Amino acid sequence: MIKMFIGSSSNGEDAGIECVYEYSLRKHATDDIEIVWMRQTPDENNFWYNDATIHWSTPFSGYRWFIPEYCNFKGRAIYTDCDMINLHDIKELWDTPLDGKPIGARRGQRFGGHEFCVMLIDCAAMEDHVVPIRRQKHNTEFHHRMIKKFSGNSDLVKDIDPRWNCLDGEDFGIGEIKQLHYTNMATQPWRPEWYNGPQKEHPREDIKQLYYDWLDEAVGEGFIPTPPEKVIDNYAIIGR
């Protein structure tokens, strides 16, 4: 069983891409997938409740560090953002050797050396690197401290194929991409309402159209975008 944790918004702002992403994952996978959607909530009894999100750049940024404890520090897990389309069997990523390192991620420059939008996690190996969730939930700096600790650190991060976290297509043809990431929030075709920055058109028409093609296919196969009940009035993140 492949255990996947996907960060997303709480009020259905990303319902379209969630539908596409889950459908694409299940279509290509050769093993069963368990998906846990990680969402902000005002319910203090909910596992994903967090009052330290003020410096997050998305509604779900810091949840990736909750995952090892959620899994009782056992086995593997995959973390991803929700704004993706899977184009290749995720089992290949799941089976990637980590060579004793707690995390696998692609190289990139936005965060100082690695891109943590897609992470393969050895939950046991991470126990020495995270503080208990009860402390994370009240530490507004923890997410960024973890990025600083891991990014660019080859002792802690195994480099994975960048095509598993292909940022807005880059210079790859669609047939070369394993997992497409609509990483620029300003050009995401579904226009999530939680993002209140400037809106722009995606620089690659084929990448933009891919979302609509997959959405049509997903809906045709019964994967209907269904926004959950609104639970968050204002996300406590930068820009809100």
Side-chain angles (χ1 to χ4, degrees), residues 13 15 26 35 45 61-62 72 76 79 84 101 110 137-138 149 152-153 165 197 213 237:
E13 295 95 336
R26 298 194 186 281
I35 294 178
N45 296 314
S61 296
N72 297 312
R76 287 187 161 203
Y79 165 80
M84 300 192 175
K101 300 174 184 179
R110 292 187 304 160
K137 290 185 175 186
H138 306 291
K149 175 179 181 175
N153 188 335
N165 183 11
D213 293 344
I237 59 174

Side-chain angles (χ1 to χ4, degrees), residues 35-105:
I35 294 178
V36 176
W37 297 95
M38 303 183 296
R39 308 180 191 276
Q40 280 193 42
T41 172
D43 179 2
E44 296 185 18
N45 296 314
N46 188 293
F47 186 89
W48 303 109
Y49 174 78
N50 192 324
D51 66 4
T53 63
I54 189 65
H55 297 311
W56 291 7
S57 56
T58 72
F60 47 84
S61 296
Y63 285 138
R64 69 201 74 195
W65 313 114
F66 284 28
I67 294 170
E69 187 173 331
Y70 184 101
C71 295
N72 297 312
F73 299 106
K74 296 179 181 178
R76 287 187 161 203
I78 292 175
Y79 165 80
T80 78
D81 298 350
C82 67
D83 45 5
M84 300 192 175
I85 300 177
N86 174 267
L87 299 171
H88 192 77
D89 186 358
I90 197 72
K91 190 174 188 301
E92 182 181 303
L93 175 61
W94 178 256
D95 290 337
T96 299
L98 287 177
D99 301 336
K101 300 174 184 179
I103 288 176

